Each structure stands twice: as structure tokens, then as C-alpha cells.
Amino acid sequence: MDNLKARRAFLFGRRAATAAVRPPWSLPEQDFLDRCTRCNDCVRACPTHIIVIGDGGFPVVDFSRGECTFCGNCASACTAGAVDAGDQTPWHLQITVSKQCLAKHDIFCMACVDACPEQAIRLHYAASVPTPEIDTSRCTGCGACIAICPPQAISLHPSETVTTP
Ligand code: SF4
Ligand code: SF4
Ligand code: SF4
């Protein structure tokens, strides 16, 4: 491992386990870190203001601020090629609903169902209070269901999380 990569592993290795969500169409994490110059042009280009400056000055998506409309502005703004809309799939994110979901505490809620523009969340009526079920084949990872969730039970994570000891 060269000095630069060793430094990155030291600085970012442990945090990679919690895996930042990079802007859509970003290169795989290591390539992204190699290419991104931390100019933060993508931060300024995002109309929904969901890209913020994260660890080490690299851009990350914060869905607590809003959703991604897949407008492509971040990719257009990235002259370094770290965010490249040439890849047809904007990102590979896994969505999870934690046990904090109100429905799992017998409180009726369908805020996420109403917020999802893809109708990817449906209520499952197996118990006294219906619980949300996500059809991952429909989920685009837009994040529209995240900020709206009262207990912040929904999260999106990169599916290609790299863990470094
Ligand atoms: S595609 Fe548009 S809305 Fe989504 S992160 Fe990029 S600039 Fe923001
Ligand atoms: S918005 Fe949150 S609390 Fe409400 S049903 Fe969806 S995941 Fe559960
Ligand atoms: S992240 Fe997925 S489930 Fe949530 S609103 Fe967007 S498409 Fe729907």
C-alpha cells in the first residue's frame, strides 16, 4: 500500500464501514476518492441541497435534507469525472426500515407510503397495525421516504460497503 492509500485507510478506513452515500452516478468508492478533488461543485449544483461536505471534505448525500430528483446536475458539475452520469444506474443503495418504525410499536403510520413517488412501499396487513413493506425492485433510492418518517426509521446505505479493519 502506498503512502497516500495508507493515509486514506487510516483516515477513512473505519468510517467506510458506515459507508457514506456519494452523489448518484459516483464511481465505486475507491475510484471516487482517487478522482474527487473536493472542489464541491456538486454540493453547489444540487437543487435539493442534499449533497453536503462530509468526512475529509468529500461530498456525501444527506437524505435528512430532502430527496434526489435524479436531475443529473451533480454529474454535470463534476469536471473531475468522479460523478459520471454515463453509468445508467445512478447508485446501488440498500434501504432498511429499523424497529423504530411506528407501526412496529402499534402506531398507525403511512407517511413513507404517501411520500414514495415509485409506489415502492405498501402496507402489509398481517398484524393489528399494518407495517410498511418495501419492494426493492421498484425503489430508486431517491430518499423521499427518509426525512418524512417521524422516528427516522428509514435509511439508505451503499450496497457495496467496504469494511476496513
Ligand atoms: S441528481 Fe440532482 S437532486 Fe440528485 S444529488 Fe445530484 S444534483 Fe442533487
Ligand atoms: S414513515 Fe416511518 S414510522 Fe411511518 S410507517 Fe414508514 S417507516 Fe414506519
Ligand atoms: S427511497 Fe425507495 S422506497 Fe423510499 S421514497 Fe424513494 S423509491 Fe420510495
Side-chain angles (χ1 to χ4, degrees):
M1 190 182 287
D2 63 43
N3 282 345
L4 179 59
K5 284 194 173 149
R7 254 198 346 265
R8 275 185 179 149
F10 175 73
L11 288 171
F12 308 117
R14 286 184 180 278
R15 284 180 184 164
T18 53
V21 176
R22 302 300 178 195
W25 299 287
S26 288
L27 299 180
E29 183 67 5
Q30 192 57 58
D31 295 336
F32 176 85
L33 294 176
D34 286 341
R35 284 240 187 175
C36 175
T37 62
R38 291 175 277 183
C39 67
N40 289 306
D41 285 346
C42 57
V43 175
R44 289 182 283 275
C46 181
T48 56
H49 310 293
I50 62 169
I51 308 179
V52 299
I53 300 171
D55 285 348
F58 291 100
V60 295
V61 171
D62 178 359
F63 288 116
S64 71
R65 299 165 64 92
E67 68 191 272
C68 178
T69 63
F70 302 105
C71 67
N73 285 8
C74 49
S76 301
C78 182
T79 54
V83 185
D84 182 3
D87 176 2
Q88 293 303 303
T89 305
W91 44 28
H92 302 279
L93 302 179
Q94 283 182 337
I95 188 164
T96 58
V97 179
S98 78
K99 58 187 178 189
Q100 290 176 307
C101 170
L102 294 177
K104 295 176 184 176
H105 298 273
D106 292 332
I107 300 169
F108 182 82
C109 176
M110 57 181 294
C112 55
V113 177
D114 289 338
C116 178
E118 304 296 331
Q119 288 81 50
I121 313 178
R122 297 198 186 117
L123 290 180
H124 180 61
Y125 289 85
S128 55
V129 173
T131 53
E133 275 191 351
I134 298 175
D135 179 351
T136 54
S137 68
R138 296 180 74 109
C139 175
T140 61
C142 71
C145 55
I146 291 181
I148 203 86
C149 173
Q152 306 291 283
I154 306 178
S155 54
L156 284 162
H157 305 281
S159 54
E160 53 190 24
T161 301
V162 176
T163 53
T164 307

Short mmCIF file of all heavy atoms in Angstrom, two decimals, residues 26-88:
data_model
loop_
_atom_site.label_atom_id
_atom_site.label_comp_id
_atom_site.label_asym_id
_atom_site.label_seq_id
_atom_site.Cartn_x
_atom_site.Cartn_y
_atom_site.Cartn_z
N SER A 26 -21.82 8.25 -8.88
CA SER A 26 -20.42 8.30 -8.45
C SER A 26 -19.71 7.00 -8.82
O SER A 26 -20.32 5.93 -8.84
CB SER A 26 -20.32 8.50 -6.93
OG SER A 26 -20.69 9.81 -6.58
N LEU A 27 -18.42 7.09 -9.05
CA LEU A 27 -17.61 5.91 -9.30
C LEU A 27 -17.59 5.06 -8.02
O LEU A 27 -17.92 5.55 -6.94
CB LEU A 27 -16.17 6.32 -9.65
CG LEU A 27 -15.97 7.18 -10.91
CD1 LEU A 27 -14.50 7.49 -11.10
CD2 LEU A 27 -16.56 6.51 -12.14
N PRO A 28 -17.20 3.79 -8.13
CA PRO A 28 -17.01 2.98 -6.92
C PRO A 28 -16.11 3.71 -5.93
O PRO A 28 -15.23 4.48 -6.32
CB PRO A 28 -16.34 1.70 -7.45
CG PRO A 28 -16.82 1.60 -8.87
CD PRO A 28 -16.93 3.03 -9.37
N GLU A 29 -16.33 3.45 -4.66
CA GLU A 29 -15.77 4.28 -3.58
C GLU A 29 -14.28 4.61 -3.75
O GLU A 29 -13.89 5.76 -3.68
CB GLU A 29 -16.03 3.62 -2.23
CG GLU A 29 -15.54 4.42 -1.04
CD GLU A 29 -16.32 5.71 -0.82
OE1 GLU A 29 -17.31 5.98 -1.53
OE2 GLU A 29 -15.92 6.47 0.09
N GLN A 30 -13.45 3.61 -3.97
CA GLN A 30 -12.02 3.90 -4.03
C GLN A 30 -11.69 4.78 -5.24
O GLN A 30 -10.89 5.71 -5.15
CB GLN A 30 -11.20 2.62 -4.06
CG GLN A 30 -9.71 2.86 -3.83
CD GLN A 30 -9.42 3.60 -2.52
OE1 GLN A 30 -9.80 3.13 -1.45
NE2 GLN A 30 -8.79 4.77 -2.59
N ASP A 31 -12.33 4.48 -6.38
CA ASP A 31 -12.11 5.31 -7.57
C ASP A 31 -12.64 6.72 -7.34
O ASP A 31 -12.04 7.70 -7.79
CB ASP A 31 -12.82 4.68 -8.78
CG ASP A 31 -12.23 3.34 -9.16
OD1 ASP A 31 -11.05 3.09 -8.82
OD2 ASP A 31 -12.96 2.53 -9.77
N PHE A 32 -13.75 6.80 -6.64
CA PHE A 32 -14.31 8.11 -6.32
C PHE A 32 -13.32 8.93 -5.51
O PHE A 32 -13.05 10.10 -5.80
CB PHE A 32 -15.63 7.95 -5.56
CG PHE A 32 -16.23 9.26 -5.12
CD1 PHE A 32 -17.03 9.99 -5.98
CD2 PHE A 32 -15.98 9.76 -3.86
CE1 PHE A 32 -17.56 11.22 -5.59
CE2 PHE A 32 -16.51 10.98 -3.46
CZ PHE A 32 -17.30 11.70 -4.32
N LEU A 33 -12.75 8.30 -4.46
CA LEU A 33 -11.80 9.01 -3.60
C LEU A 33 -10.55 9.42 -4.37
O LEU A 33 -9.95 10.45 -4.11
CB LEU A 33 -11.43 8.15 -2.39
CG LEU A 33 -12.56 7.85 -1.41
CD1 LEU A 33 -12.08 6.91 -0.31
CD2 LEU A 33 -13.12 9.13 -0.79
N ASP A 34 -10.17 8.58 -5.33
CA ASP A 34 -8.99 8.89 -6.13
C ASP A 34 -9.23 10.07 -7.07
O ASP A 34 -8.35 10.87 -7.32
CB ASP A 34 -8.58 7.67 -6.96
CG ASP A 34 -7.93 6.59 -6.11
OD1 ASP A 34 -7.48 6.91 -4.99
OD2 ASP A 34 -7.89 5.43 -6.55
N ARG A 35 -10.46 10.16 -7.59
CA ARG A 35 -10.75 11.19 -8.60
C ARG A 35 -11.24 12.51 -8.03
O ARG A 35 -10.95 13.57 -8.57
CB ARG A 35 -11.83 10.66 -9.54
CG ARG A 35 -11.32 9.66 -10.53
CD ARG A 35 -11.54 10.16 -11.92
NE ARG A 35 -11.21 9.14 -12.88
CZ ARG A 35 -11.40 9.28 -14.16
NH1 ARG A 35 -11.92 10.39 -14.63
NH2 ARG A 35 -11.06 8.33 -14.98
N CYS A 36 -12.04 12.41 -6.98
CA CYS A 36 -12.68 13.62 -6.44
C CYS A 36 -11.62 14.58 -5.91
O CYS A 36 -10.76 14.20 -5.11
CB CYS A 36 -13.65 13.23 -5.32
SG CYS A 36 -14.39 14.66 -4.49
N THR A 37 -11.71 15.82 -6.36
CA THR A 37 -10.73 16.84 -5.95
C THR A 37 -11.24 17.66 -4.75
O THR A 37 -10.58 18.59 -4.32
CB THR A 37 -10.44 17.81 -7.10
OG1 THR A 37 -11.67 18.47 -7.45
CG2 THR A 37 -9.88 17.08 -8.31
N ARG A 38 -12.43 17.31 -4.28
CA ARG A 38 -13.07 18.01 -3.17
C ARG A 38 -13.34 19.48 -3.50
O ARG A 38 -13.31 20.35 -2.64
CB ARG A 38 -12.24 17.88 -1.88
CG ARG A 38 -12.25 16.48 -1.34
CD ARG A 38 -11.36 16.30 -0.15
NE ARG A 38 -9.99 16.08 -0.56
CZ ARG A 38 -8.99 15.83 0.27
NH1 ARG A 38 -9.22 15.75 1.55
NH2 ARG A 38 -7.78 15.63 -0.18
N CYS A 39 -13.59 19.72 -4.79
CA CYS A 39 -13.94 21.09 -5.21
C CYS A 39 -15.33 21.47 -4.71
O CYS A 39 -15.65 22.64 -4.59
CB CYS A 39 -13.90 21.21 -6.73
SG CYS A 39 -15.18 20.23 -7.59
N ASN A 40 -16.17 20.45 -4.48
CA ASN A 40 -17.55 20.62 -4.01
C ASN A 40 -18.45 21.37 -4.98
O ASN A 40 -19.43 21.99 -4.57
CB ASN A 40 -17.56 21.26 -2.61
CG ASN A 40 -17.06 20.24 -1.58
OD1 ASN A 40 -17.57 19.14 -1.50
ND2 ASN A 40 -16.03 20.61 -0.84
N ASP A 41 -18.13 21.30 -6.26
CA ASP A 41 -19.03 21.85 -7.27
C ASP A 41 -20.37 21.12 -7.26
O ASP A 41 -21.41 21.71 -7.52
CB ASP A 41 -18.41 21.73 -8.68
CG ASP A 41 -17.31 22.75 -8.90
OD1 ASP A 41 -17.22 23.71 -8.10
OD2 ASP A 41 -16.54 22.60 -9.86
N CYS A 42 -20.33 19.82 -6.94
CA CYS A 42 -21.60 19.06 -6.89
C CYS A 42 -22.47 19.54 -5.74
O CYS A 42 -23.70 19.55 -5.85
CB CYS A 42 -21.33 17.56 -6.76
SG CYS A 42 -20.32 17.10 -5.34
N VAL A 43 -21.85 19.93 -4.65
CA VAL A 43 -22.60 20.44 -3.50
C VAL A 43 -23.40 21.67 -3.91
O VAL A 43 -24.60 21.80 -3.63
CB VAL A 43 -21.65 20.78 -2.32
CG1 VAL A 43 -22.41 21.41 -1.17
CG2 VAL A 43 -20.92 19.52 -1.86
N ARG A 44 -22.72 22.57 -4.63
CA ARG A 44 -23.37 23.81 -5.05
C ARG A 44 -24.40 23.57 -6.15
O ARG A 44 -25.36 24.33 -6.29
CB ARG A 44 -22.30 24.81 -5.53
CG ARG A 44 -21.45 25.37 -4.41
CD ARG A 44 -20.45 26.39 -4.92
NE ARG A 44 -19.31 25.74 -5.57
CZ ARG A 44 -18.24 25.28 -4.94
NH1 ARG A 44 -18.16 25.41 -3.64
NH2 ARG A 44 -17.26 24.70 -5.60
N ALA A 45 -24.22 22.49 -6.91
CA ALA A 45 -25.10 22.26 -8.06
C ALA A 45 -26.43 21.61 -7.69
O ALA A 45 -27.38 21.64 -8.48
CB ALA A 45 -24.38 21.37 -9.08
N CYS A 46 -26.51 21.01 -6.52
CA CYS A 46 -27.70 20.21 -6.17
C CYS A 46 -28.89 21.11 -5.81
O CYS A 46 -28.85 21.81 -4.80
CB CYS A 46 -27.38 19.27 -5.01
SG CYS A 46 -28.81 18.25 -4.57
N PRO A 47 -29.96 21.04 -6.58
CA PRO A 47 -31.11 21.93 -6.31
C PRO A 47 -31.88 21.57 -5.05
O PRO A 47 -32.59 22.42 -4.50
CB PRO A 47 -31.99 21.76 -7.56
CG PRO A 47 -31.64 20.42 -8.10
CD PRO A 47 -30.18 20.21 -7.78
N THR A 48 -31.76 20.33 -4.60
CA THR A 48 -32.48 19.97 -3.37
C THR A 48 -31.56 20.02 -2.14
O THR A 48 -31.99 19.68 -1.03
CB THR A 48 -33.10 18.55 -3.50
OG1 THR A 48 -32.07 17.61 -3.83
CG2 THR A 48 -34.17 18.53 -4.57
N HIS A 49 -30.33 20.43 -2.37
CA HIS A 49 -29.37 20.67 -1.27
C HIS A 49 -29.13 19.45 -0.40
O HIS A 49 -28.92 19.56 0.81
CB HIS A 49 -29.86 21.84 -0.39
CG HIS A 49 -30.22 23.06 -1.18
ND1 HIS A 49 -29.30 23.81 -1.86
CD2 HIS A 49 -31.43 23.62 -1.43
CE1 HIS A 49 -29.92 24.80 -2.49
NE2 HIS A 49 -31.21 24.70 -2.25
N ILE A 50 -29.14 18.28 -1.02
CA ILE A 50 -28.91 17.06 -0.23
C ILE A 50 -27.43 16.64 -0.22
O ILE A 50 -27.06 15.74 0.51
CB ILE A 50 -29.78 15.88 -0.71
CG1 ILE A 50 -29.46 15.50 -2.17
CG2 ILE A 50 -31.25 16.19 -0.53
CD1 ILE A 50 -30.12 14.19 -2.59
N ILE A 51 -26.62 17.27 -1.06
CA ILE A 51 -25.18 16.95 -1.03
C ILE A 51 -24.49 17.92 -0.09
O ILE A 51 -24.63 19.14 -0.22
CB ILE A 51 -24.55 17.02 -2.43
CG1 ILE A 51 -25.34 16.21 -3.45
CG2 ILE A 51 -23.10 16.51 -2.38
CD1 ILE A 51 -24.78 16.27 -4.87
N VAL A 52 -23.78 17.35 0.87
CA VAL A 52 -23.08 18.17 1.85
C VAL A 52 -21.61 17.73 1.90
O VAL A 52 -21.25 16.69 1.35
CB VAL A 52 -23.72 18.06 3.26
CG1 VAL A 52 -25.16 18.54 3.23
CG2 VAL A 52 -23.66 16.62 3.77
N ILE A 53 -20.81 18.53 2.56
CA ILE A 53 -19.40 18.19 2.69
C ILE A 53 -19.24 17.24 3.88
O ILE A 53 -19.59 17.57 5.00
CB ILE A 53 -18.56 19.46 2.88
CG1 ILE A 53 -18.75 20.38 1.67
CG2 ILE A 53 -17.08 19.10 3.07
CD1 ILE A 53 -18.14 21.75 1.83
N GLY A 54 -18.72 16.06 3.56
CA GLY A 54 -18.58 15.04 4.60
C GLY A 54 -17.16 14.88 5.08
O GLY A 54 -16.32 15.78 4.91
N ASP A 55 -16.88 13.73 5.66
CA ASP A 55 -15.55 13.45 6.20
C ASP A 55 -14.46 13.67 5.16
O ASP A 55 -14.60 13.24 4.01
CB ASP A 55 -15.48 11.99 6.68
CG ASP A 55 -16.24 11.78 7.98
OD1 ASP A 55 -16.61 12.79 8.62
OD2 ASP A 55 -16.46 10.62 8.34
N GLY A 56 -13.40 14.32 5.57
CA GLY A 56 -12.27 14.55 4.69
C GLY A 56 -12.54 15.57 3.61
O GLY A 56 -11.71 15.74 2.70
N GLY A 57 -13.69 16.23 3.65
CA GLY A 57 -14.03 17.22 2.63
C GLY A 57 -14.68 16.62 1.41
O GLY A 57 -14.96 17.33 0.44
N PHE A 58 -14.96 15.30 1.44
CA PHE A 58 -15.60 14.65 0.29
C PHE A 58 -17.12 14.81 0.39
O PHE A 58 -17.69 14.75 1.49
CB PHE A 58 -15.24 13.16 0.25
CG PHE A 58 -13.79 12.91 -0.09
CD1 PHE A 58 -12.88 12.61 0.92
CD2 PHE A 58 -13.35 12.97 -1.39
CE1 PHE A 58 -11.54 12.39 0.63
CE2 PHE A 58 -12.02 12.74 -1.70
CZ PHE A 58 -11.11 12.45 -0.69
N PRO A 59 -17.78 14.94 -0.77
CA PRO A 59 -19.24 15.12 -0.74
C PRO A 59 -19.98 13.85 -0.37
O PRO A 59 -19.61 12.75 -0.81
CB PRO A 59 -19.56 15.55 -2.17
CG PRO A 59 -18.47 14.96 -3.00
CD PRO A 59 -17.24 15.00 -2.14
N VAL A 60 -21.02 14.02 0.42
CA VAL A 60 -21.91 12.90 0.79
C VAL A 60 -23.35 13.38 0.66
O VAL A 60 -23.64 14.57 0.75
CB VAL A 60 -21.66 12.40 2.23
CG1 VAL A 60 -20.28 11.79 2.37
CG2 VAL A 60 -21.87 13.51 3.24
N VAL A 61 -24.24 12.41 0.49
CA VAL A 61 -25.66 12.73 0.41
C VAL A 61 -26.28 12.60 1.79
O VAL A 61 -26.07 11.61 2.49
CB VAL A 61 -26.37 11.79 -0.60
CG1 VAL A 61 -27.88 11.97 -0.52
CG2 VAL A 61 -25.88 12.08 -2.01
N ASP A 62 -27.03 13.62 2.17
CA ASP A 62 -27.73 13.63 3.45
C ASP A 62 -29.23 13.68 3.17
O ASP A 62 -29.80 14.74 2.89
CB ASP A 62 -27.29 14.85 4.27
CG ASP A 62 -28.02 14.93 5.61
OD1 ASP A 62 -28.87 14.07 5.89
OD2 ASP A 62 -27.73 15.88 6.37
N PHE A 63 -29.86 12.50 3.24
CA PHE A 63 -31.28 12.42 2.90
C PHE A 63 -32.18 13.06 3.96
O PHE A 63 -33.38 13.18 3.74
CB PHE A 63 -31.70 10.96 2.69
CG PHE A 63 -31.17 10.36 1.42
CD1 PHE A 63 -30.28 9.30 1.45
CD2 PHE A 63 -31.58 10.84 0.19
CE1 PHE A 63 -29.79 8.73 0.28
CE2 PHE A 63 -31.10 10.29 -1.00
CZ PHE A 63 -30.21 9.22 -0.95
N SER A 64 -31.63 13.42 5.10
CA SER A 64 -32.46 14.11 6.09
C SER A 64 -32.81 15.52 5.59
O SER A 64 -33.69 16.18 6.12
CB SER A 64 -31.76 14.19 7.44
OG SER A 64 -30.68 15.11 7.39
N ARG A 65 -32.11 15.97 4.53
CA ARG A 65 -32.36 17.30 3.98
C ARG A 65 -33.35 17.28 2.83
O ARG A 65 -33.83 18.33 2.42
CB ARG A 65 -31.04 17.91 3.50
CG ARG A 65 -30.01 18.07 4.60
CD ARG A 65 -28.63 18.33 4.02
NE ARG A 65 -28.54 19.58 3.29
CZ ARG A 65 -28.17 20.73 3.82
NH1 ARG A 65 -27.84 20.79 5.09
NH2 ARG A 65 -28.12 21.82 3.09
N GLY A 66 -33.60 16.11 2.28
CA GLY A 66 -34.52 16.05 1.14
C GLY A 66 -34.24 14.85 0.28
O GLY A 66 -33.59 13.89 0.69
N GLU A 67 -34.72 14.91 -0.95
CA GLU A 67 -34.63 13.76 -1.83
C GLU A 67 -33.85 14.09 -3.10
O GLU A 67 -33.66 15.26 -3.45
CB GLU A 67 -36.03 13.29 -2.23
CG GLU A 67 -36.76 14.29 -3.11
CD GLU A 67 -38.23 13.94 -3.28
OE1 GLU A 67 -38.54 13.18 -4.20
OE2 GLU A 67 -39.04 14.45 -2.48
N CYS A 68 -33.45 13.05 -3.77
CA CYS A 68 -32.77 13.19 -5.05
C CYS A 68 -33.81 13.11 -6.17
O CYS A 68 -34.63 12.19 -6.19
CB CYS A 68 -31.74 12.08 -5.22
SG CYS A 68 -30.89 12.15 -6.82
N THR A 69 -33.76 14.08 -7.07
CA THR A 69 -34.68 14.08 -8.21
C THR A 69 -34.03 13.47 -9.45
O THR A 69 -34.65 13.44 -10.50
CB THR A 69 -35.12 15.51 -8.54
OG1 THR A 69 -33.96 16.26 -8.92
CG2 THR A 69 -35.81 16.17 -7.34
N PHE A 70 -32.78 13.06 -9.31
CA PHE A 70 -32.01 12.48 -10.42
C PHE A 70 -31.92 13.48 -11.58
O PHE A 70 -31.98 13.10 -12.75
CB PHE A 70 -32.60 11.14 -10.87
CG PHE A 70 -32.64 10.13 -9.75
CD1 PHE A 70 -33.84 9.80 -9.12
CD2 PHE A 70 -31.48 9.55 -9.28
CE1 PHE A 70 -33.88 8.90 -8.06
CE2 PHE A 70 -31.50 8.64 -8.21
CZ PHE A 70 -32.71 8.32 -7.61
N CYS A 71 -31.79 14.75 -11.21
CA CYS A 71 -31.69 15.80 -12.24
C CYS A 71 -30.38 15.72 -13.00
O CYS A 71 -30.27 16.23 -14.12
CB CYS A 71 -31.83 17.18 -11.59
SG CYS A 71 -30.45 17.61 -10.49
N GLY A 72 -29.35 15.13 -12.39
CA GLY A 72 -28.06 14.99 -13.07
C GLY A 72 -27.14 16.19 -12.93
O GLY A 72 -26.04 16.19 -13.47
N ASN A 73 -27.57 17.20 -12.20
CA ASN A 73 -26.74 18.41 -12.06
C ASN A 73 -25.40 18.12 -11.41
O ASN A 73 -24.38 18.73 -11.77
CB ASN A 73 -27.47 19.47 -11.22
CG ASN A 73 -28.58 20.15 -11.99
OD1 ASN A 73 -28.91 19.75 -13.09
ND2 ASN A 73 -29.17 21.18 -11.38
N CYS A 74 -25.38 17.21 -10.45
CA CYS A 74 -24.12 16.91 -9.76
C CYS A 74 -23.12 16.27 -10.73
O CYS A 74 -21.93 16.60 -10.71
CB CYS A 74 -24.36 16.01 -8.55
SG CYS A 74 -25.39 14.56 -8.87
N ALA A 75 -23.62 15.38 -11.57
CA ALA A 75 -22.74 14.73 -12.54
C ALA A 75 -22.23 15.74 -13.56
O ALA A 75 -21.05 15.73 -13.93
CB ALA A 75 -23.47 13.58 -13.23
N SER A 76 -23.11 16.62 -14.01
CA SER A 76 -22.70 17.64 -14.99
C SER A 76 -21.65 18.56 -14.39
O SER A 76 -20.75 19.02 -15.09
CB SER A 76 -23.91 18.47 -15.44
OG SER A 76 -24.89 17.66 -16.01
N ALA A 77 -21.79 18.84 -13.09
CA ALA A 77 -20.87 19.79 -12.45
C ALA A 77 -19.50 19.19 -12.18
O ALA A 77 -18.52 19.92 -12.00
CB ALA A 77 -21.48 20.28 -11.14
N CYS A 78 -19.41 17.87 -12.14
CA CYS A 78 -18.15 17.22 -11.76
C CYS A 78 -17.20 17.11 -12.94
O CYS A 78 -17.32 16.20 -13.75
CB CYS A 78 -18.43 15.84 -11.16
SG CYS A 78 -16.91 15.01 -10.61
N THR A 79 -16.27 18.02 -13.03
CA THR A 79 -15.32 18.01 -14.14
C THR A 79 -14.20 17.01 -13.92
O THR A 79 -13.47 16.67 -14.85
CB THR A 79 -14.71 19.42 -14.34
OG1 THR A 79 -14.16 19.85 -13.09
CG2 THR A 79 -15.76 20.40 -14.81
N ALA A 80 -14.06 16.50 -12.69
CA ALA A 80 -13.00 15.53 -12.40
C ALA A 80 -13.39 14.11 -12.82
O ALA A 80 -12.56 13.20 -12.80
CB ALA A 80 -12.68 15.55 -10.90
N GLY A 81 -14.65 13.91 -13.14
CA GLY A 81 -15.10 12.59 -13.56
C GLY A 81 -15.36 11.63 -12.42
O GLY A 81 -15.51 10.43 -12.63
N ALA A 82 -15.46 12.15 -11.20
CA ALA A 82 -15.77 11.28 -10.06
C ALA A 82 -17.25 10.93 -10.02
O ALA A 82 -17.65 9.91 -9.46
CB ALA A 82 -15.35 11.95 -8.75
N VAL A 83 -18.07 11.82 -10.58
CA VAL A 83 -19.52 11.58 -10.69
C VAL A 83 -19.82 11.61 -12.18
O VAL A 83 -19.71 12.64 -12.82
CB VAL A 83 -20.32 12.67 -9.95
CG1 VAL A 83 -21.81 12.34 -9.97
CG2 VAL A 83 -19.83 12.84 -8.52
N ASP A 84 -20.17 10.47 -12.71
CA ASP A 84 -20.24 10.33 -14.16
C ASP A 84 -21.57 9.71 -14.58
O ASP A 84 -21.79 8.51 -14.43
CB ASP A 84 -19.09 9.44 -14.63
CG ASP A 84 -19.08 9.28 -16.14
OD1 ASP A 84 -19.92 9.89 -16.83
OD2 ASP A 84 -18.21 8.53 -16.64
N ALA A 85 -22.47 10.54 -15.10
CA ALA A 85 -23.81 10.07 -15.44
C ALA A 85 -23.82 9.12 -16.64
O ALA A 85 -24.88 8.66 -17.04
CB ALA A 85 -24.74 11.25 -15.69
N GLY A 86 -22.64 8.82 -17.18
CA GLY A 86 -22.56 7.85 -18.27
C GLY A 86 -23.03 6.48 -17.82
O GLY A 86 -23.54 5.70 -18.61
N ASP A 87 -22.85 6.20 -16.53
CA ASP A 87 -23.35 4.93 -15.97
C ASP A 87 -24.86 5.07 -15.83
O ASP A 87 -25.34 5.97 -15.17
CB ASP A 87 -22.69 4.69 -14.60
CG ASP A 87 -23.24 3.44 -13.92
OD1 ASP A 87 -24.08 2.75 -14.52
OD2 ASP A 87 -22.83 3.18 -12.79
N GLN A 88 -25.59 4.16 -16.41
CA GLN A 88 -27.05 4.30 -16.44
C GLN A 88 -27.70 4.11 -15.07
O GLN A 88 -28.77 4.63 -14.82
CB GLN A 88 -27.65 3.29 -17.43
CG GLN A 88 -27.28 3.59 -18.87
CD GLN A 88 -27.68 4.99 -19.30
OE1 GLN A 88 -28.84 5.37 -19.22
NE2 GLN A 88 -26.70 5.79 -19.73
#
